[in-house]
Amino acid sequence: MSVAVIPMAKDLGWSATERGLVSSSFFWGYSLTQVPARYISTKIGGVKVLMAGVALWSFGTLIAPPAAHLGIWALCATRVLVGLGEGFAPSAATSVLAWQVPSTERSRAVTTVWGG
Protein backbone atom coordinates (compact mmCIF):
# COMPACT_ATOMS: atom_id res chain seq x y z
CA MET A 1 0.00 0.00 0.00
CA SER A 2 2.89 2.36 0.62
CA VAL A 3 3.56 2.46 -3.12
CA ALA A 4 -0.05 2.13 -4.29
CA VAL A 5 -1.34 5.01 -2.18
CA ILE A 6 0.39 7.60 -4.40
CA PRO A 7 -1.41 6.77 -7.68
CA MET A 8 -4.62 6.00 -5.76
CA ALA A 9 -4.51 9.44 -4.18
CA LYS A 10 -4.05 11.03 -7.58
CA ASP A 11 -6.92 9.05 -9.13
CA LEU A 12 -9.28 9.62 -6.20
CA GLY A 13 -8.32 13.22 -5.49
CA TRP A 14 -6.91 12.76 -1.98
CA SER A 15 -4.82 15.36 -0.22
CA ALA A 16 -1.48 14.61 1.45
CA THR A 17 -3.31 14.49 4.78
CA GLU A 18 -5.72 11.86 3.47
CA ARG A 19 -2.81 9.81 2.08
CA GLY A 20 -1.21 9.96 5.51
CA LEU A 21 -4.45 8.84 7.14
CA VAL A 22 -4.61 5.78 4.88
CA SER A 23 -0.96 4.94 5.59
CA SER A 24 -1.26 5.37 9.34
CA SER A 25 -4.42 3.27 9.60
CA PHE A 26 -2.32 0.12 9.29
CA PHE A 27 -0.25 1.07 12.32
CA TRP A 28 -3.32 1.73 14.48
CA GLY A 29 -4.44 -1.85 13.94
CA TYR A 30 -0.92 -3.22 14.30
CA SER A 31 -0.27 -1.44 17.59
CA LEU A 32 -3.55 -2.63 19.12
CA THR A 33 -2.61 -6.30 18.78
CA GLN A 34 0.98 -6.23 20.00
CA VAL A 35 0.25 -6.75 23.70
CA PRO A 36 -2.62 -9.26 23.48
CA ALA A 37 -0.92 -11.26 20.70
CA ARG A 38 1.63 -12.88 22.99
CA TYR A 39 -0.97 -13.81 25.58
CA ILE A 40 -3.36 -15.26 23.00
CA SER A 41 -0.57 -17.13 21.18
CA THR A 42 0.53 -18.68 24.46
CA LYS A 43 -2.99 -19.69 25.45
CA ILE A 44 -4.37 -21.16 22.22
CA GLY A 45 -1.22 -21.84 20.23
CA GLY A 46 0.84 -19.89 17.75
CA VAL A 47 -0.25 -21.92 14.73
CA LYS A 48 -3.94 -21.10 15.20
CA VAL A 49 -3.23 -17.45 15.93
CA LEU A 50 -0.91 -17.13 12.95
CA MET A 51 -3.49 -18.72 10.64
CA ALA A 52 -6.20 -16.38 11.93
CA GLY A 53 -3.90 -13.37 11.52
CA VAL A 54 -3.01 -14.32 7.95
CA ALA A 55 -6.70 -14.84 7.15
CA LEU A 56 -7.60 -11.45 8.62
CA TRP A 57 -4.90 -9.49 6.81
CA SER A 58 -5.61 -11.35 3.58
CA PHE A 59 -9.29 -10.45 3.84
CA GLY A 60 -8.40 -6.81 4.52
CA THR A 61 -6.11 -6.79 1.49
CA LEU A 62 -8.76 -8.44 -0.69
CA ILE A 63 -11.45 -5.87 0.07
CA ALA A 64 -9.17 -2.82 -0.06
CA PRO A 65 -9.57 -1.97 -3.79
CA PRO A 66 -13.38 -1.87 -3.78
CA ALA A 67 -13.34 -0.12 -0.39
CA ALA A 68 -11.17 2.66 -1.83
CA HIS A 69 -13.95 3.51 -4.26
CA LEU A 70 -16.49 3.62 -1.42
CA GLY A 71 -14.49 6.29 0.37
CA ILE A 72 -11.42 7.01 2.39
CA TRP A 73 -12.94 5.78 5.65
CA ALA A 74 -13.78 2.41 4.13
CA LEU A 75 -10.21 2.06 2.90
CA CYS A 76 -8.87 3.09 6.30
CA ALA A 77 -11.02 0.37 7.90
CA THR A 78 -9.48 -2.25 5.60
CA ARG A 79 -6.00 -1.01 6.49
CA VAL A 80 -6.84 -1.33 10.20
CA LEU A 81 -7.91 -4.94 9.51
CA VAL A 82 -4.60 -5.64 7.79
CA GLY A 83 -2.75 -4.13 10.74
CA LEU A 84 -4.77 -6.16 13.24
CA GLY A 85 -3.94 -9.36 11.37
CA GLU A 86 -0.27 -8.58 10.90
CA GLY A 87 0.09 -7.48 14.52
CA PHE A 88 -0.41 -11.07 15.63
CA ALA A 89 2.29 -12.45 13.34
CA PRO A 90 5.49 -11.75 15.34
CA SER A 91 4.21 -13.23 18.60
CA ALA A 92 2.50 -16.15 16.88
CA ALA A 93 5.57 -16.98 14.78
CA THR A 94 7.79 -16.83 17.86
CA SER A 95 5.40 -19.14 19.67
CA VAL A 96 5.46 -21.58 16.76
CA LEU A 97 9.26 -21.57 16.76
CA ALA A 98 9.38 -22.11 20.53
CA TRP A 99 7.06 -25.14 20.38
CA GLN A 100 7.90 -26.71 17.03
CA VAL A 101 11.66 -26.33 16.67
CA PRO A 102 14.03 -28.39 18.83
CA SER A 103 16.06 -26.30 21.26
CA THR A 104 19.32 -27.24 19.54
CA GLU A 105 18.06 -25.73 16.26
CA ARG A 106 16.03 -22.85 17.64
CA SER A 107 18.63 -20.09 17.31
CA ARG A 108 19.18 -20.95 13.64
CA ALA A 109 15.42 -21.01 13.02
CA VAL A 110 14.86 -17.67 14.75
CA THR A 111 17.75 -16.13 12.80
CA THR A 112 16.33 -17.43 9.52
CA VAL A 113 12.78 -16.26 10.24
CA TRP A 114 13.55 -12.83 11.62
CA GLY A 115 16.81 -12.12 9.80
CA GLY A 116 15.59 -13.08 6.35
Side-chain angles (χ1 to χ4, degrees):
M1 183 59 78
S2 59
V3 174
V5 75
I6 296 169
M8 285 176 67
K10 185 177 179 183
D11 291 345
L12 299 170
W14 296 341
S15 68
T17 303
E18 290 168 321
R19 277 195 328 251
L21 183 63
V22 169
S23 297
S24 69
S25 294
F26 168 86
F27 295 104
W28 284 105
Y30 191 85
S31 65
L32 288 173
T33 54
Q34 290 296 292
V35 173
R38 182 193 171 276
Y39 177 78
I40 295 169
S41 294
T42 302
K43 291 297 178 188
I44 66 171
V47 173
K48 292 177 185 174
V49 172
L50 188 57
M51 287 182 359
V54 170
L56 183 60
W57 92 55
S58 296
F59 177 70
T61 302
L62 179 70
I63 64 172
H69 292 286
L70 293 175
I72 193 158
W73 293 110
L75 180 61
C76 287
T78 68
R79 298 300 298 153
V80 169
L81 284 177
V82 172
L84 288 169
E86 286 194 28
F88 280 102
S91 293
T94 301
S95 179
V96 169
L97 292 172
W99 288 98
Q100 303 290 328
V101 178
S103 61
T104 57
E105 295 294 320
R106 201 167 294 145
S107 62
R108 183 185 318 255
V110 168
T111 302
T112 302
V113 169
W114 298 119

